[in-house]
Amino acid sequence: MKTTFSTQISEHSLIELQGVTKVYGTGSAAMKALRGIDLHISQGEFVAVMGPSGSGKSTCMNILGCLDTPSNGAYLFEGVDVGKLSRDQRALLRRHYLGFVFQGFNLLNRTSAIENVELPLVYRGVPAHERRESALRALEAVGLKGWETHTPGELSGGQQQRVAIARAIVTDPKVLLADEPTGNLDSARSREVMEMLDAFNHEYGITIVLVTHDADMAAYAKRIIRFLDGIIDTDEENGKML
Amino acid sequence: MLRETILLAFREIRRNLMRSSLTILGIVIGVAAVITMVTLGRGATAQVTSDITKLGTNLLQIRPGQHRHGPGGTQSTGAMFKVDDADAIAREISGLVAVAPMASQSTQAIYGNENWATSVIGSTPAYLVVRNWQLESGRQFTDSELRGGKGVCILGATVRKELFGGQNPLGNTIRLEKLSCQVIGVLESKGQSSFGTDQDDFVLIPLRTLQRRMAGNIDVSRIYVSAEDGVSTSKVEEDIQRLMRERRRITMNEEDDFHVRDMQELVSTMTGTTRVLTGLLGAVAAVSLLVGGIGIMNIMLVSVTERTREIGIRLAIGALERDVLMQFLVEAVVLSSFGGLIGIILGVVAAAIGARVLAVPFVFDPGIVAIAFLFSAAVGVIFGYFPARQAGQLDPIEALRHE
């Protein structure tokens, strides 16, 4: 049974998409990636986004991550219309409120784990010693105490993803956007990563939006949104949580 | 934040040490060339100035001949002077320190087994005054030696070295072709002139000795006049011109069949020439600096492409366009300044060696070093800006997808 969640307007609405469309190209070559998305995500939610390739879920994630802007419709982040922000203002929004975890880890090569974790704090202008302390705490939180000076090349995939998670949470973001974080990991490492995300959601109340193909991973979320052909097909509470 | 950026730039440069070294090579060569050229040019200018000063300040030269064809290229179609002309100048014109008539020819100087091709100058003791020569040892010609056309001579340092080596030449007799003369003095060395000739390579004998016993005439080929300090050389020049026109009976509408040359003129001509040359060489060297800048731009563009993913990561986690721009710009400036620094060291060393080889003074100018350094940093800013802007304007989504 499908219950729609999106129509409930919460006063804590952190993320709000109103009739968002995204069109790539122009004229006859135009490709509609999103055909009108309405979505509310409240503070503290753990949302899994699923759907086949080309269903628009990655485009939607890029918009949620303020890396891209809607062609039409509005994206309100804490009531601010992101579509009207400049490139630099969106960068500042990412800097202060968002954390990213990618499928391909996206760590800086030949740069130690701790320096990777410190990077977002560098752009925030945090003094060096504070930065180091925060990064050490974040690495400890993902279970990588003692691995601080290792570079990504010296770490396993699971460890690299944990460094990436530490980098995402070190700034204490409002939202953590995870784009297939377990896509390159085996099932044991995947479960580790998911448990970690679950813990951050629980303990720190970080809102998590997770894109995944894997139903087992989506099962960690409290709410599952399925995309199909540029629209939201289903939006339901996770049965296991009920 | 700037400190972070500079540290980051250094780390990035260290990581690609080989490539970084090759990148800055252009700047190194450009800066080194500019420093070397300008330093040597300044040295040459200083050399020319001091050489001409050594010729004697306030010196005027009077030669027979119709037209001036630049330094040395005169036509001696006018009649030679006589000793009387020099006497008349000394008598009639005020404000002069000394007047030295002279004649010269090439000759072979012989002492024992030693044989040296040189030139012989016949003149008076005034010659040493007007040409700023100092006696290292010995004495001047006496009046009776001058009047009698005696066989005595004063040696230039080169002739002395070639004929006598380390021996004391005073009192010994040398032969100039058929003329025997006793060495009564040796001159201090002046070294090479800026025209590349050895100024010390001559033998001085009394004018009358040369005229009677070697040349077989009474000609004076040149008269040197030295004006007193504070006396206008152009005024003296005019006076001499008037006097000589009178003595040589040149009518109003005829041109001079002699000319008077002011050494001050020569100083400014020669230093002007070396300055222009220095400027030209410096400009050519500056072009190589520019080429070095283009090299930096190329490598920075390659670097931006290579690090697209890194740029994407930085942009995604909150770097502003200008943060990324600064990162690459600082890297370019650090590279080019470093190249400039190495270039300065190389250039100064090369200039020091070059100055020794060319026998010009080494004129170290901190000004040109500062300019070269600032210029190389500016090259980094100018040529680094374009690639850095490219980097800053990358689309983070595209950049993150880049492999």
Short mmCIF file of all heavy atoms in Angstrom, two decimals, chain B residues 150-189:
data_model
loop_
_atom_site.label_atom_id
_atom_site.label_comp_id
_atom_site.label_asym_id
_atom_site.label_seq_id
_atom_site.Cartn_x
_atom_site.Cartn_y
_atom_site.Cartn_z
N LYS B 150 117.07 64.37 -29.95
CA LYS B 150 117.96 63.32 -29.45
C LYS B 150 117.28 61.95 -29.49
O LYS B 150 116.06 61.84 -29.52
CB LYS B 150 118.36 63.65 -28.00
CG LYS B 150 119.23 64.88 -27.87
CD LYS B 150 120.67 64.57 -28.19
CE LYS B 150 121.54 65.80 -28.41
NZ LYS B 150 121.37 66.87 -27.41
N GLY B 151 118.11 60.92 -29.45
CA GLY B 151 117.60 59.55 -29.45
C GLY B 151 117.27 59.07 -28.05
O GLY B 151 118.01 58.30 -27.45
N VAL B 152 116.14 59.53 -27.53
CA VAL B 152 115.67 59.08 -26.22
C VAL B 152 114.20 58.66 -26.38
O VAL B 152 113.52 59.13 -27.27
CB VAL B 152 115.77 60.19 -25.15
CG1 VAL B 152 117.22 60.41 -24.75
CG2 VAL B 152 115.13 61.48 -25.65
N CYS B 153 113.77 57.76 -25.49
CA CYS B 153 112.38 57.33 -25.62
C CYS B 153 111.77 56.96 -24.29
O CYS B 153 112.46 56.66 -23.32
CB CYS B 153 112.27 56.15 -26.59
SG CYS B 153 113.14 54.70 -26.01
N ILE B 154 110.44 57.04 -24.26
CA ILE B 154 109.65 56.61 -23.09
C ILE B 154 108.78 55.46 -23.60
O ILE B 154 108.15 55.57 -24.66
CB ILE B 154 108.78 57.77 -22.57
CG1 ILE B 154 109.71 58.91 -22.06
CG2 ILE B 154 107.86 57.29 -21.45
CD1 ILE B 154 108.96 60.17 -21.69
N LEU B 155 108.77 54.33 -22.85
CA LEU B 155 108.07 53.15 -23.34
C LEU B 155 106.67 53.01 -22.74
O LEU B 155 106.48 53.26 -21.55
CB LEU B 155 108.86 51.87 -23.00
CG LEU B 155 110.29 51.77 -23.52
CD1 LEU B 155 110.86 50.41 -23.15
CD2 LEU B 155 110.34 51.99 -25.03
N GLY B 156 105.76 52.60 -23.58
CA GLY B 156 104.45 52.18 -23.05
C GLY B 156 104.62 50.82 -22.38
O GLY B 156 105.58 50.08 -22.69
N ALA B 157 103.71 50.49 -21.49
CA ALA B 157 103.86 49.28 -20.66
C ALA B 157 103.96 48.01 -21.51
O ALA B 157 104.72 47.09 -21.17
CB ALA B 157 102.69 49.17 -19.69
N THR B 158 103.25 47.95 -22.62
CA THR B 158 103.27 46.74 -23.44
C THR B 158 104.63 46.55 -24.11
O THR B 158 105.20 45.46 -24.08
CB THR B 158 102.17 46.83 -24.53
OG1 THR B 158 100.92 46.96 -23.88
CG2 THR B 158 102.17 45.60 -25.39
N VAL B 159 105.16 47.65 -24.66
CA VAL B 159 106.45 47.57 -25.34
C VAL B 159 107.53 47.17 -24.33
O VAL B 159 108.38 46.33 -24.59
CB VAL B 159 106.80 48.92 -26.00
CG1 VAL B 159 108.14 48.84 -26.69
CG2 VAL B 159 105.70 49.32 -26.98
N ARG B 160 107.44 47.76 -23.16
CA ARG B 160 108.41 47.46 -22.10
C ARG B 160 108.36 45.96 -21.77
O ARG B 160 109.38 45.29 -21.68
CB ARG B 160 108.06 48.29 -20.87
CG ARG B 160 108.89 47.96 -19.66
CD ARG B 160 108.00 47.46 -18.54
NE ARG B 160 108.82 46.94 -17.46
CZ ARG B 160 108.97 47.57 -16.31
NH1 ARG B 160 108.35 48.70 -16.12
NH2 ARG B 160 109.72 47.04 -15.38
N LYS B 161 107.14 45.43 -21.64
CA LYS B 161 106.98 44.02 -21.30
C LYS B 161 107.52 43.13 -22.42
O LYS B 161 108.22 42.15 -22.17
CB LYS B 161 105.50 43.71 -21.06
CG LYS B 161 105.26 42.35 -20.43
CD LYS B 161 103.77 42.09 -20.25
CE LYS B 161 103.22 41.59 -21.57
NZ LYS B 161 101.80 41.75 -21.76
N GLU B 162 107.20 43.48 -23.65
CA GLU B 162 107.59 42.64 -24.78
C GLU B 162 109.10 42.64 -24.99
O GLU B 162 109.67 41.61 -25.36
CB GLU B 162 106.89 43.11 -26.07
CG GLU B 162 105.39 42.92 -26.06
CD GLU B 162 104.98 41.46 -25.94
OE1 GLU B 162 105.76 40.58 -26.33
OE2 GLU B 162 103.85 41.22 -25.45
N LEU B 163 109.73 43.80 -24.78
CA LEU B 163 111.17 43.88 -25.05
C LEU B 163 112.01 43.49 -23.86
O LEU B 163 113.05 42.87 -24.01
CB LEU B 163 111.55 45.29 -25.50
CG LEU B 163 110.97 45.76 -26.84
CD1 LEU B 163 111.56 47.12 -27.20
CD2 LEU B 163 111.23 44.75 -27.95
N PHE B 164 111.54 43.86 -22.67
CA PHE B 164 112.41 43.69 -21.49
C PHE B 164 111.92 42.63 -20.50
O PHE B 164 112.65 42.26 -19.61
CB PHE B 164 112.58 45.04 -20.77
CG PHE B 164 113.35 46.03 -21.57
CD1 PHE B 164 112.72 46.93 -22.39
CD2 PHE B 164 114.75 46.03 -21.54
CE1 PHE B 164 113.43 47.84 -23.14
CE2 PHE B 164 115.47 46.94 -22.29
CZ PHE B 164 114.81 47.85 -23.11
N GLY B 165 110.69 42.17 -20.67
CA GLY B 165 110.16 41.21 -19.70
C GLY B 165 110.20 41.81 -18.33
O GLY B 165 109.72 42.92 -18.12
N GLY B 166 110.84 41.11 -17.36
CA GLY B 166 110.89 41.62 -16.00
C GLY B 166 112.06 42.56 -15.75
O GLY B 166 112.19 43.14 -14.69
N GLN B 167 112.95 42.72 -16.74
CA GLN B 167 114.14 43.55 -16.52
C GLN B 167 113.81 45.03 -16.43
O GLN B 167 112.80 45.48 -16.94
CB GLN B 167 115.10 43.39 -17.72
CG GLN B 167 115.96 42.17 -17.67
CD GLN B 167 116.75 42.10 -18.96
OE1 GLN B 167 116.34 41.48 -19.92
NE2 GLN B 167 117.90 42.77 -18.98
N ASN B 168 114.74 45.79 -15.82
CA ASN B 168 114.57 47.24 -15.78
C ASN B 168 115.10 47.83 -17.09
O ASN B 168 116.27 47.69 -17.40
CB ASN B 168 115.35 47.80 -14.59
CG ASN B 168 115.21 49.31 -14.50
OD1 ASN B 168 114.38 49.90 -15.19
ND2 ASN B 168 116.03 49.91 -13.64
N PRO B 169 114.24 48.49 -17.85
CA PRO B 169 114.69 48.99 -19.16
C PRO B 169 115.45 50.32 -19.09
O PRO B 169 116.11 50.69 -20.05
CB PRO B 169 113.38 49.18 -19.91
CG PRO B 169 112.37 49.46 -18.85
CD PRO B 169 112.82 48.76 -17.61
N LEU B 170 115.33 51.03 -17.98
CA LEU B 170 115.90 52.38 -17.91
C LEU B 170 117.39 52.34 -18.21
O LEU B 170 118.13 51.51 -17.68
CB LEU B 170 115.66 53.01 -16.54
CG LEU B 170 114.20 53.38 -16.21
CD1 LEU B 170 114.13 54.08 -14.85
CD2 LEU B 170 113.59 54.25 -17.30
N GLY B 171 117.84 53.25 -19.09
CA GLY B 171 119.26 53.34 -19.45
C GLY B 171 119.65 52.45 -20.60
O GLY B 171 120.71 52.64 -21.20
N ASN B 172 118.86 51.45 -20.94
CA ASN B 172 119.19 50.57 -22.05
C ASN B 172 118.82 51.26 -23.37
O ASN B 172 118.00 52.17 -23.40
CB ASN B 172 118.42 49.26 -21.95
CG ASN B 172 118.97 48.40 -20.83
OD1 ASN B 172 120.17 48.16 -20.74
ND2 ASN B 172 118.07 47.97 -19.94
N THR B 173 119.43 50.78 -24.43
CA THR B 173 119.18 51.39 -25.73
C THR B 173 118.38 50.42 -26.60
O THR B 173 118.71 49.23 -26.69
CB THR B 173 120.50 51.73 -26.43
OG1 THR B 173 121.22 52.61 -25.58
CG2 THR B 173 120.28 52.40 -27.78
N ILE B 174 117.30 50.91 -27.19
CA ILE B 174 116.55 50.08 -28.12
C ILE B 174 116.70 50.69 -29.51
O ILE B 174 117.16 51.83 -29.66
CB ILE B 174 115.06 49.98 -27.74
CG1 ILE B 174 114.38 51.35 -27.85
CG2 ILE B 174 114.87 49.39 -26.35
CD1 ILE B 174 112.87 51.29 -27.80
N ARG B 175 116.28 49.89 -30.51
CA ARG B 175 116.33 50.41 -31.86
C ARG B 175 114.92 50.49 -32.43
O ARG B 175 114.13 49.57 -32.26
CB ARG B 175 117.21 49.51 -32.75
CG ARG B 175 118.58 50.10 -32.92
CD ARG B 175 119.49 49.40 -33.90
NE ARG B 175 119.36 47.97 -34.03
CZ ARG B 175 118.84 47.37 -35.11
NH1 ARG B 175 118.38 48.08 -36.13
NH2 ARG B 175 118.78 46.05 -35.17
N LEU B 176 114.62 51.65 -33.06
CA LEU B 176 113.37 51.79 -33.78
C LEU B 176 113.79 51.93 -35.24
O LEU B 176 114.30 52.98 -35.63
CB LEU B 176 112.60 53.03 -33.34
CG LEU B 176 112.23 53.09 -31.86
CD1 LEU B 176 111.66 54.46 -31.50
CD2 LEU B 176 111.23 52.00 -31.51
N GLU B 177 113.64 50.87 -36.00
CA GLU B 177 114.21 50.82 -37.34
C GLU B 177 115.69 51.22 -37.26
O GLU B 177 116.43 50.57 -36.54
CB GLU B 177 113.41 51.71 -38.31
CG GLU B 177 112.06 51.07 -38.61
CD GLU B 177 111.06 52.02 -39.25
OE1 GLU B 177 111.45 53.05 -39.79
OE2 GLU B 177 109.86 51.70 -39.21
N LYS B 178 116.09 52.34 -37.90
CA LYS B 178 117.54 52.68 -37.88
C LYS B 178 117.91 53.57 -36.70
O LYS B 178 119.08 53.82 -36.45
CB LYS B 178 117.90 53.38 -39.20
CG LYS B 178 118.07 52.37 -40.33
CD LYS B 178 118.29 53.07 -41.66
CE LYS B 178 117.03 53.04 -42.50
NZ LYS B 178 117.04 53.94 -43.64
N LEU B 179 116.88 54.03 -36.01
CA LEU B 179 117.14 54.98 -34.91
C LEU B 179 117.43 54.25 -33.59
O LEU B 179 116.66 53.40 -33.16
CB LEU B 179 115.91 55.88 -34.72
CG LEU B 179 115.92 56.80 -33.50
CD1 LEU B 179 116.88 57.96 -33.71
CD2 LEU B 179 114.52 57.30 -33.21
N SER B 180 118.57 54.60 -32.99
CA SER B 180 118.87 54.06 -31.67
C SER B 180 118.40 55.05 -30.64
O SER B 180 118.64 56.25 -30.78
CB SER B 180 120.38 53.87 -31.50
OG SER B 180 120.81 52.90 -32.39
N CYS B 181 117.72 54.59 -29.61
CA CYS B 181 117.38 55.55 -28.56
C CYS B 181 117.43 54.91 -27.20
O CYS B 181 117.15 53.72 -27.02
CB CYS B 181 116.05 56.24 -28.85
SG CYS B 181 114.72 55.14 -29.24
N GLN B 182 117.79 55.75 -26.23
CA GLN B 182 117.96 55.32 -24.86
C GLN B 182 116.63 55.44 -24.12
O GLN B 182 115.92 56.43 -24.25
CB GLN B 182 119.01 56.20 -24.20
CG GLN B 182 119.47 55.63 -22.88
CD GLN B 182 120.35 56.61 -22.14
OE1 GLN B 182 120.40 57.80 -22.45
NE2 GLN B 182 121.05 56.10 -21.15
N VAL B 183 116.31 54.39 -23.36
CA VAL B 183 115.06 54.42 -22.59
C VAL B 183 115.25 55.31 -21.37
O VAL B 183 116.13 55.04 -20.55
CB VAL B 183 114.64 53.01 -22.17
CG1 VAL B 183 113.35 53.05 -21.36
CG2 VAL B 183 114.47 52.11 -23.40
N ILE B 184 114.44 56.38 -21.27
CA ILE B 184 114.58 57.27 -20.11
C ILE B 184 113.35 57.21 -19.21
O ILE B 184 113.35 57.73 -18.11
CB ILE B 184 114.81 58.75 -20.55
CG1 ILE B 184 113.62 59.22 -21.40
CG2 ILE B 184 116.14 58.89 -21.27
CD1 ILE B 184 113.54 60.73 -21.51
N GLY B 185 112.29 56.55 -19.66
CA GLY B 185 111.09 56.50 -18.81
C GLY B 185 110.16 55.37 -19.24
O GLY B 185 110.25 54.87 -20.36
N VAL B 186 109.31 54.96 -18.30
CA VAL B 186 108.30 53.94 -18.59
C VAL B 186 106.96 54.49 -18.10
O VAL B 186 106.88 55.09 -17.02
CB VAL B 186 108.62 52.61 -17.89
CG1 VAL B 186 107.50 51.61 -18.11
CG2 VAL B 186 109.94 52.06 -18.37
N LEU B 187 105.91 54.26 -18.90
CA LEU B 187 104.59 54.78 -18.53
C LEU B 187 103.79 53.76 -17.74
O LEU B 187 103.97 52.55 -17.91
CB LEU B 187 103.81 55.15 -19.80
CG LEU B 187 104.40 56.28 -20.63
CD1 LEU B 187 103.61 56.42 -21.93
CD2 LEU B 187 104.39 57.59 -19.85
N GLU B 188 102.91 54.26 -16.91
CA GLU B 188 101.96 53.38 -16.22
C GLU B 188 100.99 52.80 -17.25
O GLU B 188 100.69 53.45 -18.25
CB GLU B 188 101.17 54.17 -15.18
CG GLU B 188 101.90 54.26 -13.86
CD GLU B 188 101.08 55.02 -12.82
OE1 GLU B 188 99.91 55.34 -13.11
OE2 GLU B 188 101.63 55.27 -11.75
N SER B 189 100.50 51.63 -16.96
CA SER B 189 99.60 50.96 -17.90
C SER B 189 98.19 51.52 -17.82
O SER B 189 97.69 51.85 -16.74
CB SER B 189 99.55 49.46 -17.59
OG SER B 189 98.57 48.85 -18.39
#
